[in-house]
Amino acid sequence: MTPLTPLAALSGPDVAWYLIVAAILFSIGTLGVLVRRSPLIVLLSLEIMLNAANLALISFARLHGGHDGQIFALAVMAVAASEVVVGLGLIVAMSRRRLTLDVDSFRLLKG
Amino acid sequence: MGSLLVWVVWVGAAFACLGSGVAVISFTNPFYSALALIGNLGSLAVLYLLASAEFLAAAQVLVYAGAVMVMFLFVIAYLGDAAGVPFGGGPSWVAVGAIVASAAILVEVVVAIGLKAGNSLSNEADVEAAFGSPGEIGRLFLTDHLLAFEITSIVLLIAAVGGVILGTQTRSERELDAQEPTA
């Protein structure tokens, strides 16, 4: 069995292309957070933004040949998972209190 | 030949990623949005793989597309019809302002990266075949980045405790449920 060619040896697009994709993805996520009113979709858009940041971190890690960016991206993944747990917990708590799930209707910092 | 294949896969993954990103924010039904986000995360994992982040690509599929999105789908199913809030019915200048703001962020990021690092983006460092492999990441987590590893575990623990606290029914909610037993 012949050993697989390491992916790093194949020449693909420059890091700049990765960064352009990451920037577009981040602004798509921003647009979702600003336009949508459903808190669920706002959370999904936040995930898109976090993943865009992860893509940029990984591209810079590849550019510099160090692992620090990848470690940081893993930490971001853990933070994103925690954010989803707390965010979904809040959404379920809102729905149990018979509140409308509309981010525009939450204007006061009291229950 | 290998280079052409990498380009084809890369362009396909990038367009799938951007297209499913747009789909996430344009579906009215949150269920379809969550499914589109799974596609987005999967195509991002392909991009990670092409940037030689093999362990992160696997973790992306396992943690995100697997665990996190299943939790999302469960909550969407639990909420049922209450989950779907349509687009902002408010004044349209809000939507216009949002589009302008996100376009401004895009331009700002591109200009900042282009000015600061535009010249050095094409000469990538040479990496060995083990770059980004699980063994390498695991070794770094237990040596150089041990503190980050431990703090990550504490963050996850706090999130789990917070989830339990948010999920516990309070007395007023039990009374609310008693009033509407069908709900």
Side-chain angles (χ1 to χ4, degrees):
Chain A
M1 188 179 159
T2 53
L4 293 169
T5 316
L7 284 165
L10 299 174
S11 61
D14 279 348
V15 169
W17 292 103
Y18 286 91
L19 292 177
I20 288 173
V21 171
I24 297 176
L25 207 57
F26 190 85
S27 51
I28 289 175
T30 317
L31 187 62
V33 170
L34 291 176
V35 168
R36 296 307 299 262
R37 290 188 302 160
S38 163
L40 274 167
I41 310 249
V42 169
L43 267 184
L44 292 175
S45 308
L46 276 175
E47 295 296 312
I48 293 182
M49 291 169 80
L50 286 167
N51 274 295
N54 265 354
L55 182 60
L57 284 171
I58 287 171
S59 332
F60 278 122
R62 178 69 188 80
L63 177 69
H64 295 297
H67 277 107
D68 294 352
Q70 296 195 5
I71 301 280
F72 202 168
L74 271 172
V76 170
M77 246 182 228
V79 169
S82 320
E83 171 240 318
V84 167
V85 168
V86 176
L88 288 180
L90 282 172
I91 291 174
V92 170
M94 283 177 204
S95 83
R96 275 208 318 244
R97 290 183 160 230
R98 313 286 188 275
L99 297 173
T100 321
L101 288 181
D102 182 348
V103 285
D104 285 355
S105 65
F106 299 116
R107 292 154 188 253
L108 302 173
L109 283 176
K110 65 193 268 288
Chain B
M1 194 59 209
S3 166
L4 178 69
L5 183 66
V6 171
W7 267 97
V8 169
V9 174
W10 190 89
V11 170
F15 274 101
C17 172
L18 296 178
S20 54
V22 172
V24 169
I25 66 167
S26 45
F27 276 126
T28 313
N29 189 338
F31 184 73
Y32 293 135
S33 288
L35 289 185
L37 188 63
I38 292 180
N40 189 330
L41 300 173
S43 45
L44 267 175
V46 175
L47 288 184
Y48 291 178
L49 208 53
L50 292 179
S52 47
E54 296 156 24
F55 176 68
L56 270 164
Q60 172 93 352
V61 173
L62 284 176
V63 175
Y64 258 122
V68 170
M69 293 316 295
V70 166
M71 199 155 65
F72 256 109
L73 291 176
F74 262 117
V75 169
I76 291 170
Y78 169 76
L79 294 177
D81 289 339
V85 177
F87 279 90
S92 63
W93 55 264
V94 174
V96 174
I99 291 173
V100 169
S102 48
I105 282 189
L106 175 62
V107 170
E108 184 186 345
V109 169
V110 170
V111 167
I113 291 176
L115 285 183
K116 286 284 179 190
N119 298 325
S120 60
L121 284 183
S122 53
N123 36 15
E124 295 170 17
D126 292 327
V127 293
E128 70 275 24
F131 184 77
S133 66
E136 194 69 13
I137 300 280
R139 190 185 63 75
L140 282 170
F141 258 139
L142 293 179
T143 52
D144 291 357
H145 296 283
L146 186 62
L147 184 65
F149 188 54
E150 296 299 334
I151 290 177
T152 301
S153 67
I154 293 175
V155 167
L156 285 172
L157 176 68
I158 293 173
V161 172
V164 170
I165 291 175
L166 284 171
T168 321
Q169 252 185 346
T170 58
R171 191 194 300 163
S172 60
E173 284 166 3
R174 272 197 294 276
E175 286 164 2
L176 208 60
D177 275 342
Q179 288 166 9
E180 307 174 46
T182 53

